[in-house]
Amino acid sequence: MIICHEHRFIFIKTVKTASTSMEIALSKYCGEDDVITPIGPKDEALRAELGYRGPQNYELPMRAYRPHDVYRRIRHGNPLAFWNHADAAFIRRYVDPEVWTSYYKFCFERNPWDKVISFYFFELREIEGTPTISEFVQSGRASTIRGFDLYSIDNEIVVDRVYLYEALEEATRDLEHQLGLPGPLELPVTKGKFRKDRRSYREVLTEEEREQIAKAYAREIAHFGYEW
């Protein structure tokens, strides 16, 4: 995730929506006071290679701690910090209210059936004895990909815009305008290369799996009008 004071935006990072590529691209335009959370080692190496800003300012100062945060810090030793997939509720709780209300807040969403396939290939790419996609879906793991809960609070969407992965090019052009960026957003290729099976989800998933995924992601399907 990114909180950019220079261009007044908050980017909430969802899962398997090209968000790592977007995060790297956006970090190019961040200043020294902006919040950038850490990503994976290979992605950080790519960000450094491009000459963009890396992780910074993501640990919260002690003045931001609530009593239960102090207790957890003393008991477990872990500092309070923003993280890669921090959700809207956490961000709103710990940023200045003026920042939350006035900055442009956005994220990305993706067709749930397609997102499940992408998640499967990324998560299980190096696991010995990898289950089939059907086994993965039937196990229930395909129903745990966080999406709607990241950009909503009490079941209400609280960001200014949820862009769609399926219209990524259009989204990048709109963001250049919305954020007043001095140059183009150029997205590097990161995790997409892990997907080996390029068939449509309609060719891969069974009717039973279709229904199971539809039930798990009913809110996304209803709100964004996704169809099989």
Side-chain angles (χ1 to χ4, degrees), residues 127-146:
I127 296 178
E128 186 176 347
T130 298
T132 65
I133 291 177
S134 290
E135 290 169 339
F136 176 69
V137 174
Q138 295 302 328
S139 72
R141 291 183 62 190
S143 302
T144 63
I145 308 169
R146 296 192 72 196

Side-chain angles (χ1 to χ4, degrees), residues 59-119:
E59 289 192 9
L60 288 156
M62 286 298 297
R63 65 177 179 274
Y65 280 51
R66 312 274 178 97
H68 63 277
D69 299 322
V70 174
Y71 172 78
R72 280 200 297 265
R73 179 66 184 269
I74 293 171
R75 184 174 178 82
H76 303 291
N78 297 323
L80 185 65
F82 294 112
W83 71 96
N84 200 13
H85 293 292
D87 56 72
F90 183 90
I91 297 168
R92 188 177 71 172
R93 186 180 308 126
Y94 290 106
V95 298
D96 185 283
E98 192 276 333
V99 167
W100 178 259
T101 56
S102 65
Y103 283 23
Y104 187 68
K105 301 176 288 295
F106 66 97
C107 62
F108 283 80
E109 190 51 273
R110 183 176 186 172
N111 179 302
W113 297 288
D114 192 41
K115 183 164 63 173
V116 164
I117 301 296
S118 179
F119 185 79

Side-chain angles (χ1 to χ4, degrees), residues 46-206:
L46 174 58
R47 181 151 61 182
E49 182 182 328
L50 292 169
Y52 302 166
R53 287 185 179 273
Q56 60 177 31
N57 305 322
Y58 57 91
E59 289 192 9
L60 288 156
M62 286 298 297
R63 65 177 179 274
Y65 280 51
R66 312 274 178 97
H68 63 277
D69 299 322
V70 174
Y71 172 78
R72 280 200 297 265
R73 179 66 184 269
I74 293 171
R75 184 174 178 82
H76 303 291
N78 297 323
L80 185 65
F82 294 112
W83 71 96
N84 200 13
H85 293 292
D87 56 72
F90 183 90
I91 297 168
R92 188 177 71 172
R93 186 180 308 126
Y94 290 106
V95 298
D96 185 283
E98 192 276 333
V99 167
W100 178 259
T101 56
S102 65
Y103 283 23
Y104 187 68
K105 301 176 288 295
F106 66 97
C107 62
F108 283 80
E109 190 51 273
R110 183 176 186 172
N111 179 302
W113 297 288
D114 192 41
K115 183 164 63 173
V116 164
I117 301 296
S118 179
F119 185 79
Y120 166 81
F121 280 110
F122 177 68
E123 285 292 300
L124 303 178
R125 66 193 183 280
E126 296 176 349
I127 296 178
E128 186 176 347
T130 298
T132 65
I133 291 177
S134 290
E135 290 169 339
F136 176 69
V137 174
Q138 295 302 328
S139 72
R141 291 183 62 190
S143 302
T144 63
I145 308 169
R146 296 192 72 196
F148 200 89
D149 288 334
L150 291 173
Y151 50 83
S152 68
I153 299 176
D154 296 329
N155 217 34
E156 178 182 348
I157 294 177
V158 293
V159 296
D160 297 296
R161 180 77 180 270
V162 179
Y163 292 97
L164 300 184
Y165 171 87
E166 294 77 17
L168 191 57
E169 180 63 28
E170 179 184 332
T172 56
R173 302 292 79 82
D174 186 71
L175 284 167
E176 291 166 4
H177 171 73
Q178 288 284 353
L179 307 181
L181 301 179
L185 267 178
E186 299 175 341
L187 274 61
V189 176
T190 55
K191 297 172 179 144
K193 58 183 177 293
F194 291 113
R195 184 167 175 172
K196 298 178 176 62
D197 188 340
R198 292 293 173 177
R199 290 179 298 164
S200 166
Y201 59 84
R202 289 185 295 270
E203 300 176 76
V204 176
L205 299 169
T206 67

